[in-house]
Amino acid sequence: MTHPFLDLAPMDAARFASIEDRVARLLRTGQDVVITQGEALLPLEGAIRGTAGPGTTALNVITGPYGQTFGDWLRDCGAAVIDLAVPFHTAVTAAQIDEALTGHPEIDFVSLVHAEAATGNTNPVAEIGEVVRAHGALFYLDAVASIGAEPVLPDDWGVDLCVIGAQKAMGGPAGVSAVSVSERAWARMAANPRAPRRSYLSLLDWKERWIDGGRRALLHAPAQLEMEALDACVARIEAEGLETVMSRHASAAAATRAGAVALGVGLEPYVYEARDAAPVATTLRTPAGVVAAEVVAKALAQDPTLPLAAGGGALAKEMIRVNHYGTHATEGTVRRCLAALGSAVGGARG
């Protein structure tokens, strides 16, 4: 039998490079962009292991679960790690970053998550980038959840390693991801004897065997369907207009925050201040005595297509996440989510 997803001609280097160029334009970057063949955890870990080692002193900002993971990776690499943790219902400030850098002038690496979809907060990267740049540290940014929902500008912000994934606001596949890499970051990797080599985690392999070779020979067979899906989702963003896509997400977030309170059933925004709330997803706090996971289960029983989830771990008791990203960043989806949640919370309290 034949199928449009089967028996495709192999993707050649020129086609692969053209998709990388398209992603670079989305990021408005002149840095090298490498599309990695796996979910975003691949380049997130690879970038840390490539640039950090026993001589590294890292400031690891924790505003959600991914920040905690980055600290674990950094320590495993042998880096000295200084954690800067803030409550998950808020965002870190540039002043807090500046204070940490001033108090520890030995810091040469800063890791930060732009938007934490798991907790619903977003951090002011433009302001933070100015502080990090003035200090001279390498700046590593997880922009997986933010790309497509809010501006991501690695060149303007002085980001040396900017990792993105397509599965959230971009509305694309989860099986491929990308990272933009500055010349400073490449130099740090080249000087790091512990940087992965001949490994799926190795960005240096892509630098030396792909980029330095003029992008004429791929390292291995690419995930062709996922690559084509990535190209299609970026093309869709280009057709709609990036500003329009980001506006949809911002409108969905604002409507969810306001609508949840207007329901009058005790739901409140988990992130206190709107300025700290991520447009990619909105987190809500349930009333005392109402278990978030149970509310979500009741809402999904009404409509299994709703983009709702309970918080992870202990947060499953008190946090509901409305994942209004990608094609779900619409007024209609928000209305359906709020109606189902209002009914479910009302039933739980009644």
Side-chain angles (χ1 to χ4, degrees), residues 83-282:
D83 286 325
L84 172 56
V86 302
F88 290 175
H89 61 255
T90 186
V92 73
T93 67
Q96 289 172 304
I97 301 288
D98 188 39
E99 181 180 0
L101 294 175
T102 300
H104 298 275
E106 70 276 19
I107 290 171
D108 60 359
F109 186 99
V110 175
S111 53
L112 175 71
V113 178
H114 187 181
E116 286 268 12
T119 49
N121 55 30
T122 192
N123 295 301
V125 182
E127 299 169 17
I128 292 169
E130 291 183 14
V131 173
V132 175
R133 187 163 52 243
H135 185 79
L138 204 72
F139 192 11
Y140 164 100
L141 183 70
D142 171 356
V144 174
S146 54
I147 183 67
E150 56 187 304
V152 176
L153 302 168
D155 291 10
D156 291 352
W157 297 343
V159 177
D160 295 288
L161 295 155
C162 182
V163 177
I164 67 169
Q167 70 268 31
K168 288 189 167 64
M170 288 176 65
V176 287
S177 46
V179 54
S180 64
V181 187
S182 73
E183 289 300 323
R184 291 201 319 153
W186 284 132
R188 182 79 68 95
M189 286 185 219
N192 180 9
R194 293 196 177 191
R197 305 307 303 270
R198 296 302 186 267
S199 162
Y200 220 53
L201 288 172
S202 177
L203 294 178
L204 269 181
D205 286 355
W206 283 94
K207 165 67 171 170
E208 296 178 359
R209 299 169 59 194
W210 170 244
I211 295 172
D212 291 349
R215 299 194 299 177
R216 289 191 293 269
L218 289 162
L219 274 65
H220 47 71
Q224 182 165 356
L225 294 178
E226 287 82 359
M227 288 293 294
E228 294 291 357
L230 175 61
D231 189 53
C233 91
V234 178
R236 184 169 61 184
I237 291 171
E238 292 171 349
E240 184 177 355
L242 179 58
E243 295 298 327
T244 302
V245 174
M246 292 190 294
S247 179
R248 278 199 293 107
H249 285 82
S251 295
T256 303
R257 287 177 66 87
V261 175
L263 287 173
V265 295
L267 288 174
E268 297 178 351
Y270 186 85
V271 178
Y272 293 170
E273 301 293 336
R275 68 172 180 270
D276 297 334
V280 67
T282 298

